[in-house]
Amino acid sequence: MFDFFKKKETVKEVLLYAIGNGTTIPIENVSDKVFAAGLLGDGIGFVFGGDMIYAPCDGTVMIVAETNHAIGLKAENGAEILIHVGIDTVNLNGKGLYPQVSCKDKVKKGHPLLRVERQMLEEKGVDLTTPIIITNGQGYILTKEKENDTVNENDCIMKIIKR
């Protein structure tokens, strides 16, 4: 009768979809030692083939790095997802990386997050392998659904279940 007295159901499980067309690799195979060692959290590496990075799930944009190389999302179950576009891209100071979102934006799965000037970055020899990391993973169970696999935006690559 009075729905406002009901306790709001919290989302426990969130599916993370591919951030574009590409290939997933184990995080241990990412060439950056910080990511490969899991120092920022567990996740998966993504080698994408396009020029746009898309939201892997519904959530809120928590951070857009000043140098445009990383975007942080908070999923509906509270998981914090870091999408770090490329390796050592922080050194580009934003060149070739064009955010399509701002902090506090609400996004849905598939929403454009960041456009990449692929040709220019490849000419500079930039490794565009993109780690997708759960930075607050201690409160979650992470299941990798597609690792070492060719995927597209409709493929679930990871599940995050709140403990």
Side-chain angles (χ1 to χ4, degrees), residues 8 55 57-62 72-76 100-113:
K8 187 177 178 188
C57 64
D58 296 351
T60 304
V61 177
M62 300 305 291
L73 300 176
K74 188 171 211 169
E76 292 179 321
Q100 308 295 298
V101 293
S102 300
C103 280
K104 299 184 183 172
D105 284 356
K106 302 280 187 205
V107 296
K108 294 284 188 192
K109 173 200 159 291
H111 185 96
L113 295 178

Side-chain angles (χ1 to χ4, degrees), residues 17 19 34 40 45 55 67 86 88 115 122 126 142 146 148 157:
Y17 290 85
I19 57 173
V34 171
L40 296 177
T67 53
D88 295 329
R115 187 173 62 79
E122 286 177 345
V126 173
L142 178 65
K146 300 255 185 185
N148 280 326
I157 59 172

Side-chain angles (χ1 to χ4, degrees), residues 17-86:
Y17 290 85
I19 57 173
N21 295 332
T23 306
T24 57
I25 62 172
I27 197 66
E28 302 81 33
N29 293 354
V30 171
S31 64
D32 185 299
K33 291 179 176 129
V34 171
F35 290 110
L39 297 178
L40 296 177
D42 196 9
I44 203 163
F46 193 80
V47 181
F48 68 100
D51 62 358
M52 188 69 73
I53 300 288
Y54 298 96
C57 64
D58 296 351
T60 304
V61 177
M62 300 305 291
I63 185 170
V64 176
E66 196 173 301
T67 53
N68 301 336
H69 73 286
I71 293 181
L73 300 176
K74 188 171 211 169
E76 292 179 321
N77 67 352
E80 296 172 359
I81 303 155
L82 174 66
I83 302 169
H84 190 282
V85 182

Side-chain angles (χ1 to χ4, degrees), residues 22 41 55 80 93-95 103 117-118 141 146 153 157-158:
E80 296 172 359
N93 291 315
K95 291 182 184 140
C103 280
E117 195 173 335
R118 176 176 283 286
I141 299 166
K146 300 255 185 185
E153 301 95 26
I157 59 172
M158 290 188 283

